Amino acid sequence: MKKQKVCGLKLYLHYLSIICRSAMQYKASFLLMAIGQFLVSFSVFLGVYFMFQRFSNVKGFTYSEVLLCFSVMLMEFSLAEIWARGFDTFPSMIRQGTFDRVLLRPRSEVLQVLGSKFELVRIGKVLQAVVMFVYGMIHVDVQWTAAKALTVVFMLIGGTGLFTGLFMIYAALSFFTLDGLEFMNLFTDGAREYGKYPFGVYGKRMLQLTTFVIPYALVQHYPLLYILDRRDNPVYIFVPLMALWFLIPSYALWRYGVRKYKSSGS
C-alpha cells in the first residue's frame, strides 16, 4: 500500500512536470494570461473599496479586516482552481469518452483526473490575493503571533480542501447529466464573491448553513475572529481543518458516480 502511494505521488508529480513544461513553451502567453488572472478579480475588490468609501464598517468589521477576510478566501479558491481544475473540466471527459481510458489504467481515477488539468496561470489570482492579504495584515489593528500565522495556514489547507470537494461534486454530477450543472457555480465562484465579507454579517441562518452544511465559515468566519482577537480560545486555530470532513461525502458521491458510469461508446 505504501509503495502504491509513493508511485501515485511520483505519477502526479510527473503529470505536473509535463503540464508546467508545456506551459513554459509559450512564456509570453503564460505571462499575459497570469497577468489577466491577476487583474480579473479587482472588480470585486473595487466593490469592497467603494463600499467602505461610504461606510466605515460592515457589522463591526473595518476595511482592513474585510480585506484580510476576502484575500484568504480568494487564495483558498484560487489554490483549489490550480490543482483541482481537472474536476472542473471533467464533464468534457465524459462527453468525449476519454474517461474510459482513465478507468483502464491501473492508477486512481482521482489522481488521473487531478493530473489531467493543472491551471498554472491561476497563480495570478493567488498573487493578487497575497498583495491584498499583505496590505490588510499591515493595516489591521492586531498583534501577529505564530499561532495566528498557523491559523492562516490551516485556513488555506481547509479552504483548498473544501473547494476541491465542491469541484469533485460538480464532476460527480456529470456522470448523471453529461454536462456540469451550472447551479454548482453558486457554491464555487459564488462563494468566492459573497465570501469577501465574514459570513456572520449575513445573519444567523446563513452562518448556521455555512457551518454545518457547506462549511465555508469554518475556513473563514471563525478563524478570522481568532486572528482579530475577537475570540481567544486556541481551539479556533484548528477549526479550519474541520472543514476537511466535506471531502468524505464529496468522495462518496464521486465513487457512486464511477460505479454507475457507462461508457459513452465514442
Side-chain angles (χ1 to χ4, degrees), residues 4-63:
Q4 288 180 343
K5 289 181 178 179
V6 172
C7 290
L9 178 60
K10 287 183 178 179
L11 178 62
Y12 182 68
L13 292 176
H14 182 61
Y15 281 145
L16 298 191
S17 174
I18 293 172
I19 293 171
C20 290
R21 281 186 279 123
S22 175
M24 291 300 103
Q25 292 298 311
Y26 304 94
K27 295 182 178 62
S29 175
F30 171 79
L31 181 61
L32 290 173
M33 291 178 68
I35 292 173
Q37 291 293 326
F38 180 84
L39 298 173
V40 72
S41 294
F42 269 111
S43 59
V44 183
F45 164 74
L46 290 175
V48 175
Y49 175 78
F50 289 126
M51 168 75 78
F52 281 93
Q53 291 301 300
R54 183 165 181 84
F55 304 101
S56 60
N57 66 82
V58 175
K59 288 288 185 73
F61 291 94
T62 65
Y63 173 64

Side-chain angles (χ1 to χ4, degrees), residues 43 58 65 205 245:
S43 59
V58 175
E65 292 171 345
R205 297 285 186 185
W245 71 262

Side-chain angles (χ1 to χ4, degrees), residues 71-125:
S71 60
V72 172
M73 196 74 172
L74 181 60
M75 268 192 274
E76 295 166 354
F77 178 78
S78 301
L79 289 171
E81 270 196 317
I82 289 174
W83 98 288
R85 186 65 172 173
F87 284 119
D88 196 29
T89 59
F90 181 74
S92 64
M93 296 183 71
I94 295 291
R95 292 193 303 271
Q96 297 168 9
T98 55
F99 187 61
D100 293 5
R101 294 204 304 265
V102 169
L103 293 175
L104 291 173
R105 295 167 183 158
R107 286 292 182 268
S108 166
E109 303 92 9
V110 170
L111 179 68
Q112 293 184 68
V113 173
L114 284 174
S116 67
K117 192 79 172 177
F118 191 80
E119 289 281 0
L120 194 59
V121 295
R122 306 282 175 169
I123 197 70
K125 279 187 182 180

